[in-house]
Amino acid sequence: MVSRPGLLARRGTIYLLVAIGLHGGYELGKADLGTALYAVVWALLLGFALPVVGYLLLLASRRVDHMNAAAIAAHYGSVSVATYAVGVAFLGNLDVSFEAHMPQFLVLLEM
């Protein structure tokens, strides 16, 4: 059985991902299809490639075993909603514009 705080955290996470995904999807719907697909492909490619490269580099260093190399690469290759939110706030404070469908990539990489 899941405790109430755990259940609340799980529901809160699902709510945030759905809300962010809907916002990003709405903005992505306004974008040109070719440009959007190009950006999605690159987001997925980099999302998969960076942890693999990290894993291979850690193995090549010969200081880390397979299991720890995989754990470290997965940790540093993961997407963080908190880091994304801080980055968006930082860019907003500097009045730096960015594409409004970027939240969609966050949700895509969280899956």
Side-chain angles (χ1 to χ4, degrees), residues 8-9 15 17 19 21 25 29 31-32 34 40 48 55 63 72 74-75 86 96 100:
L8 183 62
Y15 170 77
L17 285 175
D32 175 51
V40 166
F48 286 114
Y55 173 76
R63 293 182 176 194
I72 293 168
H75 176 76
V86 170
V96 175

Side-chain angles (χ1 to χ4, degrees), residues 2-105:
V2 178
S3 67
R4 290 199 189 273
L7 182 63
L8 183 62
R10 183 177 299 157
R11 286 184 179 167
T13 301
I14 291 171
Y15 170 77
L16 285 174
L17 285 175
V18 168
I20 291 169
L22 287 173
H23 174 69
Y26 175 75
E27 295 298 334
L28 191 60
K30 295 180 190 177
D32 175 51
L33 183 62
T35 305
L37 285 177
Y38 181 77
V40 166
V41 167
W42 272 106
L44 286 173
L45 224 147
L46 289 172
F48 286 114
L50 291 177
V52 170
V53 169
Y55 173 76
L56 294 174
L57 287 174
L58 286 167
L59 284 182
S61 74
R62 299 191 183 265
R63 293 182 176 194
V64 181
D65 63 3
H66 291 282
M67 190 68 76
N68 285 317
I72 293 168
H75 176 76
Y76 285 101
S78 68
V79 177
S80 169
V81 174
T83 304
Y84 175 80
V86 170
V88 167
F90 180 75
L91 291 175
N93 285 339
L94 294 177
D95 290 328
V96 175
S97 64
F98 56 93
E99 296 182 16
H101 59 269
M102 293 307 285
Q104 186 67 32
F105 303 137

